Amino acid sequence: MESILDYSQLCKYCFQVLETILSGNGDINKISFPEQFKGKSYPLFVTWTTGKEKDLRGCVGTFAKDALEKNLIRYTFISAFKDSRFPPISLGEIKNLNCEVSLLVEFEKAKNPEDWVIGTHGIDIDFKDQYGKSYSATFLPEVAEEEKWDQKTTLQFLIRKAGYRGSLESVYNNIQVTRYQSIKKTISYDEYKKM
């Protein structure tokens, strides 16, 4: 049963991987993966934030439903060092970090671009412009709520994130929305050290 799983163990594992890489002490392949999650597969995102304000420091994930053992180590690395919006995380920053792991669940095709609930659903959009060029992007369930955006504003920011520079109205009727939910856990570096 999903409710008895300790999701903080996934965040702890991410911190162990990050700390091992940054310190250069040890082999990340020897870090023991949480037993209760072995054999489980989910699409996921790993998010690093910094400080009490939890300013974004890196966030990358995948919609591929692969084994957590494979994806978690991979996206811990990519979100910490390869998110093009930020410089790679350094050893000096680690004490101020928070790690969030989001396991994505309950994927459903939306009936229209606004068939989703702020604070409950993340959305993944796909659309083509008038020239047939394809675009896609996603926001996790907490993004619209944290930014205090309504659905239209969220869609406008999401089409920008996808790289499209035209208006929402010009592509609105072509947007295919997949809504989803997430099982999310966040721990700070201090909490990780106490574990």
Side-chain angles (χ1 to χ4, degrees):
M1 181 143 167
E2 299 293 317
S3 60
I4 61 168
L5 296 174
D6 181 1
Y7 295 100
S8 65
Q9 293 300 313
L10 297 174
C11 299
K12 175 186 174 186
Y13 179 77
C14 294
F15 265 120
Q16 288 174 310
V17 169
L18 182 65
E19 198 167 45
T20 300
I21 292 168
L22 289 173
S23 69
N25 296 328
D27 178 354
I28 58 172
N29 296 309
K30 292 187 177 170
I31 298 168
S32 120
F33 190 78
E35 194 65 39
Q36 60 186 326
F37 291 98
K38 286 186 176 175
K40 296 194 178 292
S41 298
Y42 290 93
L44 63 84
F45 274 74
V46 175
T47 304
W48 297 102
T49 59
T50 186
K52 290 179 182 161
E53 298 78 30
K54 295 192 176 171
D55 295 323
L56 186 61
R57 190 61 184 79
C59 178
V60 182
T62 179
F63 281 96
K65 190 176 179 178
D66 288 330
L68 277 176
E69 291 173 73
K70 177 180 126 184
N71 270 349
L72 199 56
I73 198 166
R74 181 168 189 222
Y75 287 95
T76 294
F77 179 85
I78 295 171
S79 62
F81 304 114
K82 301 290 185 184
D83 186 329
S84 60
R85 298 170 293 177
F86 305 98
I89 289 174
S90 68
L91 184 58
E93 293 178 82
I94 199 166
K95 290 186 169 125
N96 296 315
L97 290 177
N98 306 290
C99 178
E100 176 178 294
V101 174
S102 300
L103 305 180
L104 310 183
V105 297
E106 307 289 335
F107 285 81
E108 307 169 294
K109 287 283 182 203
K111 294 176 187 137
N112 61 63
E114 295 178 34
D115 179 28
W116 54 279
V117 177
I118 292 170
T120 299
H121 296 113
I123 56 171
D124 185 54
I125 63 168
D126 290 290
F127 63 94
K128 291 184 178 179
D129 65 15
Q130 63 270 29
Y131 306 108
K133 182 177 177 188
S134 296
Y135 297 86
S136 66
T138 194
F139 278 143
L140 293 172
E142 59 272 12
V143 172
E145 186 174 45
E146 286 173 0
E147 297 294 335
K148 298 182 176 28
W149 294 335
D150 60 18
Q151 289 175 315
K152 280 245 197 286
T153 304
T154 303
L155 288 166
Q156 288 170 336
F157 276 104
L158 198 48
I159 68 165
R160 291 286 177 264
K161 182 179 179 186
Y164 181 71
R165 297 297 169 238
S167 69
L168 172 62
E169 290 71 27
S170 67
V171 294
Y172 184 84
N173 292 326
N174 298 326
I175 296 174
Q176 300 295 314
V177 174
T178 301
R179 65 187 189 187
Y180 59 89
Q181 297 178 47
S182 75
I183 300 167
K184 179 178 86 167
K185 185 64 180 177
T186 307
I187 67 169
S188 67
Y189 181 79
D190 287 342
E191 289 169 320
Y192 153 63
K193 282 314 224 182
K194 288 174 186 164
M195 295 170 81

